[in-house]
Amino acid sequence: MKTAIEQTKHAFDNSIETAKTIAELEQIRIAFLGRHGSIVKLMDTLKTLPLEDKKIYGPLLNNFKQHCIATLEQKILQLQLDTENQKKLYNTYFDVTTSYPAQSTGTLHIYSQLIETLENIFINMGYTIADGPEVETDYYNFEALNIPAHHPARDMQDTFWLDIPGMLLRTHTSTVQIHAMRQQRPPLAIFAPGRVYRNEATDASHDFMFMQGECLFVDKNVSMANLLATARLFLRTFFNNETIQLRIRPSYFPFVEPGIEIDASCPFCSQGCSLCKYTRWIELLGAGLVHSHVLSAGDIDPDIYSGFAFGFGLDRLAMIKYNISDIRLLRSNKLSFLSQF
């Protein structure tokens, strides 16, 4: 018993000596003087000893408890006094010339803000965030997405091919679909934002590197109604406009069947404006039901499961939402532009 008391006292004294804050002292008090602390455990042990031993170790244990209480109180007063002295010292030697009122402050880049907003929207809808490599194989970028060799759709995507045979910079975020389907079993709901690359000339509306977002949902009995409801909820939430309506046009994408283009009613006007080119509609999403070949490439049985996917350009969403006229500004270092966000 005596050894246990001495060991506990040694541990207590070491803890007190290294404590630097009031919060640390509170943790020490709980650990040694709390209802489940070391001293209570020693007292419980004392109760089991013979009467002769109780007369010997009872006073030792009581003295140790009083030592803990007094030491804690003294340490608390010391820390409080040190804090007050530091404040006095700071106020005494405070140099007003070190504060410059017109300092520039940094903010998150518009891309970071936009991606956070989009991720929050899809997470609230039950989706998980997915990612994939930007350097891809021909298989994942084309073959698995129902774009075999010599397919005309390959000519639509001017690809950056690497010196390594069969390797390229991904031309769309649709590559993440295959990775996700092979790693997870349905039901599957992912949102994948990321950089993509196209070997094309740069101008006010095109760039060789830009951002895309990809939404994929796979489960049993997924229909076009699920796709349109999700797309409408996404666009209404993103533009904070509950009156947005959708217009659907047939289109062709190799990895979906049927494929559609989704236009949204202009979120900024009701009669037509320069943003919607006075048509009241803005083209925003390419979408469709996932092609059976793509499901098979993702090791998912198309006879049991179906799904939808839609993609969009994050740059285009940013340009529409914030009325940005030149895509090149998004990757510029112009503080006059970046400071707006």
Side-chain angles (χ1 to χ4, degrees), residues 111-112 114-116 118-119 129-135 169-176 191-198 208-215 311-316 331:
Y111 274 144
S112 298
L114 189 63
I115 290 173
E116 284 187 2
L118 293 170
E119 287 180 346
I129 307 304
D131 193 14
E134 294 180 22
V135 177
L169 297 180
R170 67 181 181 186
T171 60
H172 43 205
T173 49
S174 301
T175 58
V176 181
F191 170 63
R195 284 184 292 263
V196 298
Y197 305 84
R198 302 279 176 89
F208 68 90
M209 180 180 72
F210 53 98
M211 301 289 289
Q212 276 191 349
E214 189 86 12
C215 174
F312 51 86
L314 270 69
D315 308 73
R316 179 166 171 75
R331 268 177 286 279

Side-chain angles (χ1 to χ4, degrees), residues 4-61:
I5 294 173
E6 290 176 350
Q7 289 176 346
T8 306
K9 182 177 183 300
H10 181 70
F12 174 82
D13 291 338
N14 286 341
S15 299
I16 289 292
E17 185 175 350
T18 58
K20 302 297 183 183
T21 65
I22 300 295
E24 290 178 4
L25 291 178
E26 177 60 15
Q27 293 300 316
I28 293 173
R29 185 195 67 78
I30 294 172
F32 288 91
L33 294 168
R35 287 187 292 178
H36 303 288
S38 300
I39 292 178
V40 171
K41 293 178 181 178
L42 289 173
M43 288 182 173
D44 291 338
T45 303
L46 182 66
K47 294 177 183 178
T48 64
L49 298 179
L51 180 60
E52 293 78 14
D53 290 339
K54 289 180 181 179
K55 292 179 180 180
I56 297 172
Y57 300 117
L60 290 176
L61 188 55

Side-chain angles (χ1 to χ4, degrees), residues 141-152:
N141 197 81
F142 292 120
E143 294 281 349
L145 292 169
N146 198 34
I147 311 176
H150 310 298
H151 193 287

